[in-house]
Amino acid sequence: MLTLPIKKKWFDMILSGEKKEEYREIKPYYTKRLQKVFNMVGDIPVDMLETQIRFTNGYGYKVPAFIADCHLEKRIGREEWGAEKDVIYYVLCIEKIRWKSMDGLGGYLRAGGGAG
């Protein structure tokens, strides 16, 4: 599973449901990492296949984290969600949060929203 660190502001906005996308620069480093989990031709995503991505606020295993179902697009992002104006990014579109842990212990989310 691909793990990507994100800043606390964006981490909290995603968990609250306010932010629905996370951005990564189009660089060989991210192209290689994303090609391992998404169907791509070169640096172009070729379908809307969802895969699970682990997002962390910090590095290591005992940090706040969540796992989300995401699909990948390549396009301009939203400035209010951290993208620079008119810059094309890899856009991880977050469809559903599957698991979250604010203390490194965590558990899968139940249908009703509580951790189990």
Side-chain angles (χ1 to χ4, degrees):
M1 178 181 305
L2 179 63
T3 298
L4 297 171
I6 57 177
K7 293 181 180 178
K8 182 169 177 29
K9 177 181 179 179
W10 309 131
F11 184 93
D12 292 343
M13 286 176 70
I14 291 168
L15 284 182
S16 75
E18 182 180 350
K19 184 179 183 206
K20 303 286 186 187
E21 303 174 345
E22 179 56 16
Y23 307 114
R24 289 295 182 261
E25 294 178 339
I26 297 175
K27 292 188 171 187
Y29 174 78
Y30 285 114
T31 300
K32 278 184 179 181
R33 294 185 76 197
L34 294 169
Q35 284 173 334
K36 292 178 182 179
V37 294
F38 291 103
N39 294 324
M40 299 173 69
V41 174
D43 66 352
I44 309 291
V46 295
D47 60 25
M48 301 290 272
L49 180 70
E50 290 180 14
T51 192
Q52 291 187 344
I53 306 293
R54 182 176 185 262
F55 294 93
T56 64
N57 179 228
Y59 293 90
Y61 284 97
K62 293 195 175 187
V63 295
F66 65 87
I67 294 173
D69 293 341
C70 302
H71 73 267
L72 184 66
E73 298 178 6
K74 184 179 174 184
R75 60 176 168 76
I76 293 172
R78 296 175 60 169
E79 290 180 67
E80 65 270 27
W81 289 348
E84 293 181 23
K85 185 177 180 160
D86 299 325
V87 173
I88 296 175
Y89 291 93
Y90 288 125
V91 180
L92 291 147
C93 299
I94 298 163
E95 301 296 333
K96 184 174 184 173
I97 305 294
R98 291 285 177 181
W99 174 91
K100 69 178 178 177
S101 171
M102 301 310 284
D103 60 5
L105 302 175
Y108 282 85
L109 297 179
R110 294 186 196 138

